[in-house]
Amino acid sequence: LRCTEFFSTVKDIFRHIRSGSWKSLCVSATSDSECRSRKSGDCLGEQSNASPVKELHDKLEFDAIVCYGLGRFSSCVTARYQLGLMLLLRELLDVGHSCYVYDPRFSSKEKQVLTTLGWQLIQKNEEGKRPVDRTTLFFMPHCGKPLYNNLLWSNWGARLNNVVLLGNSLSNMALRFPSTDLQKAAFYLHSILDLTKEFPLPNTFHFQDVFNDMSLHLFPVTDTSPPPLLWQQAAEPVYDLDWQEEIIRNSDT
């Protein structure tokens, strides 16, 4: 994985983000599914009606990594490659021991492996509801929509500036649902779309179902942008039966 074109692209994206030179980060779209909202050749993070992302931050340093939904890497090849990327991201971002991981399906042996590799095990099912006060990369490969929505809710407001999300494309999620349905079922995911800067990862890995439909997302918001009224909508999400199937609930709730 370290020597692949895919990881080379990942490194390039993070290098530009950390240095603040995001405007120069351009990747041609290789398929409609990767960049449905862009024309081929557009700059990542720059849509026709948006200002360059580099104006939003000078530099971005990461303080922690949190991984949800990795899966059973002892028995699943896809999860093993995603584990490999998780380890490479820790090395790339140099966050020391501030690395946290949780999946309710981990076996005791898998937990032991992760601890040996230097990751801290989150001790309870947070359902993605983790507020952060420092810049944190959330690595959430192919998680259910409620998990993304919960993460946004728990950091709703200016705190979203601390959230960097590497997971399924939020813009592609929005394309798969009528706007009114998405707003009702996942208010926070729906409401943040226009304020999100999304960087699609070209699916160049040789196994096409490992890192497909993945993007890096940033949420450059303030207390007054958009209007404060939006930030007042802070009710904890509740999901209907169809959406509950996409998330493993905390048994204590």
Side-chain angles (χ1 to χ4, degrees), residues 149 152-153 156 181-193 229-235 237 239 243:
N149 193 56
L152 295 169
W153 167 75
W156 199 239
D181 291 351
L182 187 64
Q183 183 177 22
K184 180 181 178 180
F187 172 83
Y188 301 98
L189 194 159
H190 174 271
S191 299
I192 204 63
L193 289 171
L229 181 62
L230 178 62
W231 302 135
Q232 296 174 17
Q233 309 297 316
Y239 303 105
W243 281 57

Side-chain angles (χ1 to χ4, degrees), residues 4-158:
T4 62
E5 178 184 350
F6 170 78
F7 186 61
S8 179
T9 300
V10 171
K11 287 192 297 182
D12 194 46
I13 290 174
F14 276 101
R15 177 173 60 83
H16 283 277
I17 287 175
R18 296 175 75 188
S19 68
S21 58
W22 300 3
K23 186 178 179 181
S24 62
L25 182 59
C26 297
V27 177
S28 297
T30 57
S31 72
D32 290 340
S33 61
E34 286 176 1
C35 285
R36 295 182 186 182
S37 62
R38 300 173 180 83
K39 295 179 289 185
S40 180
D42 282 351
C43 290
L44 289 177
E46 284 191 80
Q47 300 183 19
S48 58
N49 59 347
S51 58
V53 181
K54 69 175 292 186
E55 296 179 0
L56 300 171
H57 295 279
D58 293 326
K59 293 184 179 181
L60 190 62
E61 291 297 334
F62 290 85
D63 299 301
I65 298 176
V66 175
C67 177
Y68 294 130
L70 182 63
R72 296 294 308 275
F73 57 85
S74 63
S75 57
C76 176
V77 174
T78 295
R80 279 200 290 276
Y81 280 113
Q82 291 168 351
L83 171 61
L85 179 59
M86 186 180 86
L87 298 175
L88 289 173
L89 288 171
R90 181 182 66 177
E91 178 183 308
L92 178 67
L93 301 181
D94 191 23
V95 294
H97 297 290
S98 298
C99 302
Y100 309 89
V101 61
Y102 182 82
D103 192 302
R105 296 166 295 185
F106 284 152
S107 67
S108 58
K109 289 292 186 182
E110 287 169 328
K111 292 178 181 179
Q112 184 179 354
V113 168
L114 290 166
T115 302
T116 302
L117 290 171
W119 287 75
Q120 299 187 49
L121 300 175
I122 298 172
Q123 296 302 315
K124 67 176 183 177
N125 186 354
E126 301 173 333
E127 299 180 3
K129 301 170 184 176
R130 171 174 282 237
V132 291
D133 295 315
R134 52 183 182 160
T135 303
T136 302
L137 174 68
F138 285 87
F139 179 43
M140 300 169 61
H142 303 312
C143 289
K145 294 180 288 295
L147 208 60
Y148 297 112
N149 193 56
N150 287 351
L151 174 65
L152 295 169
W153 167 75
S154 62
N155 291 281
W156 199 239

